[in-house]
Amino acid sequence: MGLLRKIRDTGRVAEPAPPRPEGHVPPQAKEFGGSVQVRCVDAGSCNGCEIEIAGAFNPVYDAERYGARLVASPRHADVALVTGPVTRNMAEPLRRTVAAMPEPRLVVAVGDCAINCGEFAGGHGVEGAVSDVVPVDLQVPGCPPRPDEIVAALRRVTGR
Amino acid sequence: MSLIPAALATATGLGVAGAAAGLVLPQRVRGAVVGVLTAGVGVAGGASGVAALGGSRWSAEVPGLLPLAGTHFAVDALSGLFMAVAGAVVAAVAVYGAGYVAGGAHGLGSRGAQAVLPLFALSLLLVPAAASVSTFLLLWELMALTSLLLVPAEHRARPAVREAAVWYAVMTHLGLVLLLVGFMVYAAQAGGETFAALRSGSGAMSPAVRGLVFVLTAVAFSSKAGLVPLHAWLPRAHPEAPSAVSALMSAAMVNLGVYGLVRVGFDLLGGGPAWWWLLAMAMGGLSAVYGILQAAMASDLKRLLAYSTSENMGLVVLGVGAAGLFDHAGNKALAGLALAAALLHVVNHSAFKALLFCAAGSVLRATGERNLDLLGGLRARMPLTTGLFALGALGAVALPPGNGFISEWLLLQSMIHGLAVPGVTTAIVLPVAVAVIALSSGLAAAVFVKALGVGFFARPRAEGAAAARESPLLMLAGMGLLAALCAALALVPGLLGDGLDRAVEAAGRPGTRPVSGGGLQVRLDEVSAVFSPLWVVATLTVTLGAVTATVRWAGRRRQRRTRARLWDCGGGAPTPRMAYTATSFAEPLQRVFDDVLAPEQDVDVTPMRESAYLVERVKFRNRVPDRIEHRLYRPVLDFLAAAGQSARRLAGGSVHAYLGYGFFGLVTLLVVLVVGW
Amino acid sequence: MNTVGYTAIVLQVGAVVAGAPLLTGLMRQTRARLEGRAGAGVLQPWRDVRKLLRKEPITPVGTGPAFRWAPPLLVATSLVLAVLVPLISTDTPVRGRADLIVVVSLLALGTLALALAGLDTGTAFGGMGASREMTIAALVEPTILMAVFALSIPAGSTNLPVIVAGAADQPARLTSPAGLLAIAALAVAVLAESGRLPVDNPATHLELTMVHEAMTLEYAGPDLALVEFGAHLRLTVLLGLLASLFAPWGIATGASLAAVLLALLLAVLKVAVLGMALAAAEVFWAKLRLFRVPELLAGSFLLALLAVTASYFLGGEGGQR
């Protein structure tokens, strides 16, 4: 009963949807038709971007309403959300993860570290930016990027 | 009319010729010739069985064969059913066996084994034709002895074979002793030893004697059928015997236990009080659940199949018991239905179990492995054998469109509608029986997913499996015959048609025409149910085609299938050791049922010499023992051993003592004779 | 030539095929609203299926025919069930074929096919999913068959249209103790068979908590579309079966087109309500630990056994017929 009362009192938490983002839409995204399954790959990040991605899928920002859904296996996924500079140990797993995704597929680099190694550029364990390991289709800059920026990037892919 | 004796005579002649050929011929042709002759035995015996199912009857007395009593034979539709089943299985397995021994002169291919095999096949066909106590016991013992000689055929390969043969010998002769006593009491009280005399004399016997006869024969027959608690020989003998022999034993020999139960319980004794049938149902139900649980825990493929035989025979005897219960309550039609369901399950079980054992034999021969934890990947290396095993497994899991589902459906219908029989007993027993059938079929699905998925799919877990090659043509041909039989029984159960009804009528209960054409129907007074397996298969096939076509059209722009690397979570190629084994597959079930199974775990830690904190080796052993064997047999064996030990004191070595024993024994006997008579 | 009957079947199958993803979408939307989110919309599962059908088909190295054919077989068995189960009308040309035991066994066949596919991948997760799924399926069988038994006693047959028509004629059967116990038992069995909370969480990402999803981690593109669609179909058919058995009002029993259309509307409504109720209940439930699931299933088995006994002793139809 306490939970029921809490549900009733809380009501709707999701913020109203901002206007459709403008920007470059990768060509593969046209085939998705409003449904995008996302696989998150942490290639060596500090987990700051992970927290923001978790925030993007929480009730406040609710990325699911635009058609994006997190899945458990890259075989189920269309988009790989890669965070962090790619460490040496994660380079091959990242390649394999992206190779396991069926076409059409996209790689989205989330955060400054994924785009250009950010804070960790030149570190001894860092292999390179994500684009050095797999081809990147979309970038979300920021350290960490705000959840609504991540949601905006996903909306460019889903088209909703 | 004259087909049956002609066919039986042909079968006997071919059997003897086969035995002679096995003894005399050189190894090059021995296997093929004995195989052909044994197949001939099967075909001839099967033909007489089919003729009996078609309505012929035959009986004869041959006084010369046995001194004092003479031999009596009689074939009616009930024996015809079992002869037809045995004949079909023998014919197919003989072809398979000819291919099995083509490799060498050891094991099944040796002179002795090849000489005995046709005799074993012959005895399987002749036991249902026996019509007097002495003939029956003679043929029963022939069957037991020949199988006993065949089980240890591969004794040079494995030491466990000898122990299995000893267990089998002891238990089958224990059964023989019980049968002997039971039949002797029956014949003495009924005033004659032919089945006709037993049948007519049974009415005059007192209920106590009838009960005693039923219990003795039922226990003996249930031991032959592999029901708990006298099942211990089954999981030992069937895995260790050569696979062709295992197939014959599991698919034809255990049926004769059911035959005996039905013949004595329904035909000769003419039915009995409820407690008989409740005993039968209890044994059957317990076997069904216990058997399939042990099969779920078994990693040895043939042991798994042996326990599955125990389960299926349990289901059959459950049906027989239900039939007796309904009969006793007065509802003959329902009794006929339950009996028909049980007999149909015997037929279906023989078909798929023989196929499964033959496929397991092919796997053993190709890989040298019986342990599912070391198999795998056979789908690519032995595709035909995998497909045939899958067909047999479909029958064993009792799901449509397999043939096991058909008899199970009929059995469930007879149980569910059994509530029409008034009485508190049925109201309590029947729901429990339905629950037992449901649990055993659910567990059977898990068991055969394990056997097929772990043993045949994915990748090989050891070198034996990796080196497997497809079986030779004769073995595939034998399995193909059995597969065709399974498919025919699954799609057109009406092949049995009126034969099933005549068999039920020969047991003294009315036939209810449950199978006809491509479907089954139950049409009794207050109940009706219809099921058409052909329709289900047709609809499934059409729907499958439609779904595949739709998907192909929807994805028409990207047609080519990419071959991609297995998703290994990115970390590195998954080795076959990472795949689930049979033990791990069964682990959740083991935990759920651990009160029943009582698994034993041993952890043996060997520390290094330098320090007790550094471990050199850890040995972990997990065993699921046969708990009934443990609880029941061990005390009996210990008691016998103790009694034997204490009896040694009698054999002191003094001649005077031995003479004294003889003198006092004689005096006691004379006193008893004078006073007692 | 019972045209109304054929129409009923066509309408039924069409409604199930079109509505199964919508039902899942409705359930997800209900859950989202209760959690304060906006949700993706009722049409989202259809968008997912459409996109997946157009993706690249993949055959992982080392898998075989079992892996390849399990998804179509799963969908095929669910479609055959959609034809057999009398959701709209009991007077269809297939009414003689719709035996309840056959329906239950076809469900088990779909489960078995997917379990074999899981083992066929040779990965640890595939085997784990198959092992857990078969354990749960084995333990659900007694409950389901006992519930079948309980339902067939008053109807005198295991034929589904007969049971449903009987229940529609005599509503008192459903409020009797036997009926209520059977509803409870079958509801738990449906939760287990369709892989919903508290037996299995369909939305989990943690492989060690997966039962059904672990078997499908290797599927991609059109195969995944079939697996997801098959799961939607199974849920719809199972909820429809529950609705037909325990709320049969409105199901057409004669050959009237108007009755059939009304029945279609009512069936859609009933299944939608059931789905929303299930989704709302799931918000309050947590997934049971795997080794607590047998306790739940044993409890539901006991309920079904009581239903049979009550049906026999209290109903009186079994003993005195």
Side-chain angles (χ1 to χ4, degrees), chain B residues 327-620:
Chain B
D327 182 58
H328 168 74
N331 195 333
K332 304 269 182 210
L334 212 54
L337 182 66
L339 195 57
L343 291 177
L344 188 60
H345 197 65
V346 167
V347 177
N348 283 326
H349 170 252
S350 300
F352 67 69
K353 191 47 63 73
L355 180 58
L356 284 171
F357 262 112
C358 287
S362 296
V363 168
L364 180 56
R365 195 169 176 280
T367 63
E369 265 311 326
R370 258 171 24 206
N371 190 351
L372 284 171
D373 290 348
L374 298 174
L375 288 173
L378 298 176
R379 178 208 347 110
R381 292 160 182 75
M382 305 173 71
L384 289 171
T385 309
T386 308
L388 290 164
F389 189 91
L391 191 64
L394 183 62
V397 299
L399 288 177
N403 56 343
F405 177 68
I406 299 193
S407 40
E408 188 151 313
W409 182 87
L410 205 58
L411 194 63
L412 279 170
Q413 288 293 334
S414 65
M415 297 276 179
I416 287 180
H417 296 302
L419 278 191
V421 169
V424 180
T425 330
T426 42
I428 297 180
V429 162
L430 287 177
V432 174
V434 169
V436 160
I437 298 177
L439 184 62
S440 74
S441 72
L443 287 172
V447 164
F448 282 94
V449 166
K450 178 179 83 166
L452 188 60
V454 172
F456 289 83
F457 289 166
R459 278 155 310 144
R461 293 178 181 79
E463 310 104 42
R469 281 191 7 234
E470 187 60 88
S471 323
L473 189 62
L474 271 178
M475 289 168 74
L476 287 174
M479 290 195 280
L481 285 172
L482 289 167
L485 189 63
C486 282
L489 285 169
L491 292 176
V492 194
L495 279 183
L496 285 176
D498 293 337
L500 195 61
D501 279 333
R502 291 201 193 94
V504 171
E505 277 157 16
R509 304 296 169 275
T512 51
R513 327 199 67 73
V515 294
S516 65
L520 289 88
Q521 73 232 19
V522 174
R523 294 250 156 81
L524 300 180
D525 285 338
E526 298 120 2
V527 307
S528 74
V530 176
F531 162 49
S532 170
L534 201 58
W535 185 88
V536 169
V537 169
T539 318
L540 268 178
T541 319
V542 165
T543 323
L544 200 62
V547 166
T548 322
T550 315
V551 169
R552 207 159 283 188
W553 173 82
R556 59 195 176 280
R557 266 179 279 143
R558 280 180 208 275
Q559 282 292 4
R560 257 191 52 237
R561 286 205 152 236
T562 323
R563 285 178 65 77
R565 192 199 166 93
L566 205 62
W567 169 238
D568 51 12
C569 299
T575 67
R577 280 293 282 125
M578 294 182 192
Y580 250 51
T581 59
T583 318
S584 41
F585 189 92
E587 201 260 351
L589 276 172
Q590 182 191 295
R591 281 176 72 155
V592 170
F593 288 104
D594 65 0
D595 289 333
V596 175
L597 294 168
E600 295 167 358
Q601 281 184 356
D602 289 319
V603 181
D604 206 354
V605 179
T606 315
M608 296 182 79
R609 226 176 320 132
E610 292 85 14
S611 158
Y613 295 107
L614 297 173
V615 172
E616 185 184 350
R617 192 174 1 156
V618 179
K619 195 162 153 181
F620 172 80

Side-chain angles (χ1 to χ4, degrees), chain C residues 26-48:
Chain C
L26 183 65
M27 289 172 70
R28 285 188 193 157
Q29 197 66 4
T30 312
R31 199 192 165 105
R33 284 301 159 91
L34 284 173
E35 289 175 357
R37 296 184 279 124
V42 177
L43 290 172
Q44 188 63 20
W46 261 122
R47 290 192 199 103
D48 292 343

